[in-house]
Amino acid sequence: MNQKEQTEAPLIHSGEWKIHYDYAVGETATQFFLRLRDQGKIAGKKCPSCQGVLVPPRAFCERCFVQTEEWVDVGPEGTIEAFTIVYEPFDGLPEPPYAVAYVTLDGATTAMANFVRALDLSDPEVAARQLAVGNRVEAVFADAREGAVTDFYYRLM
Amino acid sequence: MAQRVGVLGAGFTAFAGRRDDVRLEELIFEAAAAALADAGITRADIGTVVMAGADQLDGRSISSMMAAGPAGAYLKDEIRTTSEGTYAAILACLRILSGEYEVALAITWSKTSEGPYDLISNLSYDPFWLRPLAFNDIVESAVVSSSYQSSTTLLAEAAPAVVVKNRSHGSANPRAYLRAPVTREAILASPYIAYPIRKAEVPQPCDGAVALVLASEGRTLEAKRAPVWIQGFGWGTGNYTYGRGVAAELPGLRAAATKAYAMAGVTQPASEIDFAELYDGTPFDELFAYEALGLAPQGGSARSALQGDFLDGGRCPVNVSGGAQSTNLRFAAGMMRIVEAYLQLSGRAGPIQLAAPHQGLAQGGSTYPAQGHAVFVLRNY
């Protein structure tokens, strides 16, 4: 067959990956999620070398390269470090609009991302000014918690 | 430095929104064969093949099994990295400098039209902290952009100017995928996709593959064409976590540039680099790179951009090829930056040829989470 005989568009064969994983959360994040679920508190782990309080907690400090040991409660208030507001739909992701922010909770060294709710997002410029870096938020805990990052969200103060 | 790596040739495929006329193997073969032809060598001359590809984008696991053959690696030394495309060039340079290989083919590809890119991008995040928050590369770029700490008003003004510049440059480049220029008004009229990034600031992606033939110093000097050298290269990995430093300062890129400049003997990049090809998946990526690479003063990216420093004809033209804004090869966009820089220094850039450039910079970076970056200093003397 030469190319000129081909009258139809090249064929497309479809395929899908449906692969289930059971991710080990690890002891450190497990403790974080259980404390979040059962007591409505956010905790970080302190690096014994640089004294940084890592939130989300990590079992190690990647800069000092030592294991972390001590738990420290942080927040529930904190300061916005970075944010965005999503206005266009992405494949397989939530319906827009929604806002996410990285927040350094009081007492923490690193920032933790979560959704920002209870905020009118209809005007991007107005909402962006409210979410400006340096503004203060508080963590609000869901009534029914399952031990996941979405057990809390941020709300402007 | 005792030895340096030379560029013998470059090859790339036709670019299209969907390359349904070829399967992935055929796309890879198209670029590899073009690169060998450009270098004036055959497959027999290649010592090692270095690939960069990502299984989740390719929709095949261990995609090097099917990619090695069309990349020219049958019964040869081959290795693949899953880091961003330019890491194939990094690894190829290292393999040549090891003394084990005289000639390397570095190749990368992006055929993301075949899968749900936004969702795949989300899967790159850890399953505990960020994936449940709907992060992907655009969301990440937007978040990084919001952390910029200097003159945010000017930044908002400069972002559309970068897109207008690159699309205008790209309109003259026969290799570019998007050839139509865009206006500032059209960009400002487009909705936010993820604040502060507007829909018209994220270019429509295309499928394609890009390859370079690299060689030892001795082998390069034997070639007929005037040599172009990779005089310095570096790569760096920044934070995954936030809050210890400002994300928009791109610490991974700064680390990469420091290594590349030291290797090339560049001490004053703003005056020593004649032109640059930078990763510009969003205009903010390019703006933050000016500062991280020392092409603009700290806090001065937006001002430098607005005064035209990086226009064709400006102090240091950036992305005269049109950049990824004109040819959004996603995973392979960085490698195309090296190819465009090489063509400029080889005097073969066609209608967009700069007047007698001697030293250029090319940069590639992983968009999410702005973590890994590679920098190349190329020179033709």
Side-chain angles (χ1 to χ4, degrees), chain B residues 145-182:
Chain B
S145 302
S146 79
S147 74
Y148 188 65
Q149 297 202 322
S150 310
S151 57
T152 48
T153 314
L154 277 180
L155 188 72
E157 209 180 315
V162 168
V163 177
V164 169
K165 167 180 75 73
N166 291 358
R167 290 290 295 274
S168 166
H169 289 168
S171 71
N173 183 359
R175 296 174 292 279
Y177 167 55
L178 302 174
R179 298 287 304 277
V182 293

Side-chain angles (χ1 to χ4, degrees), chain A residues 10 17 23-24 32-33 50 56 63 82-85 87-88 90-91 93-94 102 109-111 113-114 124-125 128 133 149, chain B residues 20 55 59-61 118-119 122 127-131 133-134 136 142-143 146 192-195 199 239 241-244:
Chain A
W17 277 356
Y23 297 113
F32 174 93
F33 285 131
C50 68
R63 298 193 179 187
F83 74 95
T84 189
I85 313 162
Y87 286 100
E88 291 285 319
F90 291 112
D91 291 339
L93 298 180
Y102 270 96
T109 305
T110 62
N114 219 323
E125 309 292 349
V133 172
V149 66
Chain B
D20 285 342
D55 290 350
R60 289 110 161 131
S61 104
D118 299 334
L119 183 59
N122 175 252
F128 316 109
W129 308 115
L130 293 178
R131 201 188 295 172
L133 304 178
N136 65 21
V143 167
S146 79
Y192 288 109
I193 183 164
Y195 187 94
K199 202 167 182 176
N239 295 324
T241 51
Y242 271 58
R244 304 184 101 181

